[in-house]
Amino acid sequence: MKHLDEIRLILNNNALDILAINESKIDNQISNNEIHIDGFNIIRKDRNRFGGGVVLYVRQNISFSDRIDLIPDELEMVCIELSLPYNKSLLISTWYRPPNSLMNIFDYWASFLAKCDNEDKELILIGDLNCDVSKTIPDPHTCKLQFLCSLYQIDQLIKESTRLTPKSATLIDLILTNRPEHISRSGVIHLGISDHSLVYAVRKFTLPNGRQKIRQVHNFKNFVENDFIRDVSQLPWEMVYQFGDPNLCWQVWKSLLLDALNRHAPLRHTRIRNNPVPWINPQIKELMRKRDYHKKKAIKYDSESQWELYKTLRNEVNINMRKTKSKYFCDKIQASSQMGDSKSGWAWINSLLGRKHKNANINELKVNDDIISYDKSITETLNEYFINIGMKMAAESACQSTDALNDQVIYESTVLLPKENFYFADITIDSVSKRLQKLNVSKATGMDGIPANILKLTSTLISPSSGFRPKHGTLGALIQMCDQWLQDMDEGKINGVVFLDICKAFDSVNHEILLEKLKPRFGIHDIELKWFQSYLRNRKQVCSVNDQTSSARTIICGIPQGYILGPLLFLLYINDMPDILERTTPCLYADDTQISSSSHDYDTLIDNLNMDLSSIHKWLAKNKLKYHRKKQKSCLLDLRII
């Protein structure tokens, strides 16, 4: 798909809902992310990079299912079933028939048509069938195609040639349907991308409105920094201290600051415009326009000079696009390197390789037998799920335990008390101000609606009113494990390793168990313990999907994610797990756990692993956690087998 960037531009500038591409010439080594187009889902069937293959791009606001069950393996075809509000479902398919295919390929196509006919659904099929239906005397393949169309009452909609060269004109790119009365118009658009022209059809029905990306932002057009700072300095900040509840203090503080900000930079709604191919500059667009213009002239007047001019411009467009795209990404990556910003550099590399895309749109949810399609209902359903998932995991964890557990015992300390208690360090106004000065103003505004640049600008004024372990990572954990395994193998031992994964680990942390562990194990008492209680209890969360926000729900269990304290609290929660292991060595990284043991004897090794696995299962149930059975893996490392 060497013309992918031009296709992105076409879809971005035109109201196309479904695009079918034949002869995609890709294989399974190319991921969907690499050929992703913003706002579209991908369905594909590949052959190889030398020919064949089909791809369907479907706009994300359209709900559909992949009907692979209808398609014989011998056909290069994809088929989807659209589910649209207030409309009957219909089948959309694209099929590429190679020009050298045997006659029996139509038998497989007949099987496909029979299955569609049995379901009594509308069918629209589009594709390069390599059957020239414009010939007065058709060839045998075209005759077979026309016979099957007649048998299943299928009409062919395209009436003009679709593949034009200086020496030939054929009609081989077809649109077939068994409900022609539903098609309001169809036709051919001659583009310069390929010698095959674009064929199109307009189906009459109401689609859900496409979700435009609308953001609420502050208008800084008439913003005057000095006036704003003077206004903030005169705010009645003493009102914040009139409340004993820190949540009320925060609400008053936020209200004061936002009221002042809204007076100087009013809120407005803006639509985010997406440029999928920023490297296509105005000069290239002008070349593309000239290329398409001369192709239309060549077709209209059958002019050899126009055909030659079209080919020259087509090659010039391809060359310039490759150069500008290469320069665009090289400049971005080089700029990141010069600034020492490796994160930005990798972001550009991932964007180039297609690893950046994440589809955040949800068209519908299936809950039991109900289909939920309204955005507000989707947000409420998801929020309900995430609120209760921790409690559900805790209930299921008891079922995984082989022994009955005493639910009344929350936590029993098996270690010595800490030598020192934990105390908070004093936080100075100057330290808060310096933290605010270091804020990254390029970060998006959070749900509180306060932009980072405003916090940075007013840091010296608002500081008086503000109230995972570093340098450890997966690499360190991996080095530690490998060193131990290699040492054991040097001694002629067999290594046994079991990898465990905790389901919904952060969402399943029980607040009471965590608070109970903080006292004896980490020396957290008095005001420090009350601070952690305030941090964990009575928190609320919302779920945001498709620019819709759910109502706030109280979090029953689990620790907040996205904050620096979240991973630390989880580590404190599972810190006592290694204490129960007697025969294996643990290695913990966040919610991923592995235990290993070594021995000269297989039976002893297996006994060691099973004994400590049983202890871990009991510990998980006691701490209301659940391990993921399908992700649990084991392996043996033995040099004698190699």
Side-chain angles (χ1 to χ4, degrees), residues 578-589:
D579 298 342
I580 64 169
L581 303 179
E582 298 179 3
R583 301 186 181 184
T584 61
T585 302
C587 184
L588 309 179
Y589 186 80

Side-chain angles (χ1 to χ4, degrees), residues 42-244:
I42 301 173
I43 308 94
R44 54 190 264 201
K45 185 171 185 178
D46 306 331
R47 191 202 298 176
N48 55 50
R49 301 193 187 189
F50 303 102
V54 291
V55 178
L56 268 183
Y57 285 97
V58 184
R59 199 171 288 277
Q60 287 176 350
N61 63 311
I62 299 176
S63 297
F64 69 90
S65 57
D66 190 354
R67 294 301 308 271
I68 193 171
D69 57 299
L70 299 176
I71 306 171
D73 294 337
E74 292 78 6
L75 298 182
E76 290 187 55
M77 174 188 287
V78 294
C79 180
I80 60 173
E81 182 173 349
L82 303 192
S83 302
L84 301 169
Y86 315 113
N87 289 275
K88 292 183 178 180
S89 62
L90 70 150
L91 302 171
I92 305 286
S93 177
T94 184
W95 175 33
Y96 172 67
R97 188 190 74 86
N100 58 349
S101 58
L102 300 177
M103 185 65 74
N104 66 350
I105 198 169
F106 287 101
D107 296 334
Y108 300 115
W109 190 54
S111 171
F112 167 76
L113 294 178
K115 291 179 181 178
C116 296
D117 189 61
N118 289 337
E119 295 194 5
D120 193 26
K121 288 188 171 71
E122 178 181 351
L123 170 67
I124 300 175
L125 185 144
I126 184 169
D128 176 6
L129 306 189
N130 282 298
C131 291
D132 186 3
V133 297
S134 65
K135 284 184 178 180
T136 307
I137 304 177
D139 61 27
H141 290 87
T142 307
C143 288
K144 183 70 172 180
L145 173 74
Q146 292 173 334
F147 169 75
L148 290 174
C149 287
S150 175
L151 181 64
Y152 289 98
Q153 298 181 326
I154 292 174
D155 287 8
Q156 201 288 114
L157 304 180
I158 303 303
K159 305 303 179 186
E160 62 177 292
S161 299
T162 61
R163 186 175 186 270
L164 299 108
T165 68
K167 298 180 180 180
S168 66
T170 54
L171 204 175
I172 59 176
D173 303 287
L174 312 178
I175 297 181
L176 308 173
T177 180
N178 58 355
R179 301 284 196 279
E181 65 275 10
H182 292 168
I183 305 297
S184 60
R185 67 180 186 272
S186 59
V188 179
I189 299 175
H190 300 295
L191 298 177
I193 294 178
S194 167
D195 54 358
H196 289 261
S197 298
L198 177 71
V199 295
Y200 72 91
V202 179
R203 167 62 161 82
K204 297 180 289 186
F205 49 58
T206 303
L207 281 174
N209 292 329
R211 296 187 178 97
Q212 295 181 342
K213 295 183 179 180
I214 305 294
R215 294 292 181 268
Q216 193 177 54
V217 298
H218 288 277
N219 184 2
F220 287 93
K221 184 178 181 180
N222 299 315
F223 183 79
V224 180
E225 283 190 9
N226 292 334
D227 292 347
F228 175 68
I229 291 174
R230 183 178 64 252
D231 196 356
V232 171
S233 66
Q234 296 172 359
L235 292 174
W237 294 112
E238 63 276 4
M239 291 176 58
V240 176
Y241 302 106
Q242 295 178 3
F243 302 92

Side-chain angles (χ1 to χ4, degrees), residues 427-437 459-460 463-464:
I427 299 176
T428 65
I429 294 174
D430 184 56
S431 64
V432 175
S433 178
K434 287 181 178 178
R435 286 282 183 179
L436 293 174
Q437 286 287 344
S459 59
T460 56
S463 297

Side-chain angles (χ1 to χ4, degrees), residues 1 21 38 41 47 110 145-146 154 185 227 281 316 328 339 342 359 374 379-380 387 448 514 569 571 588 636 638:
M1 295 178 66
I21 297 176
D38 283 342
N41 292 312
R47 191 202 298 176
L145 173 74
Q146 292 173 334
I154 292 174
R185 67 180 186 272
D227 292 347
N281 55 41
E316 193 173 347
Y328 176 83
M339 292 187 295
S342 60
N359 179 16
Y374 294 103
T379 62
E380 296 293 348
I387 284 290
D448 56 21
L514 174 60
L569 289 175
L571 290 176
L588 309 179
L636 291 175
D638 187 359

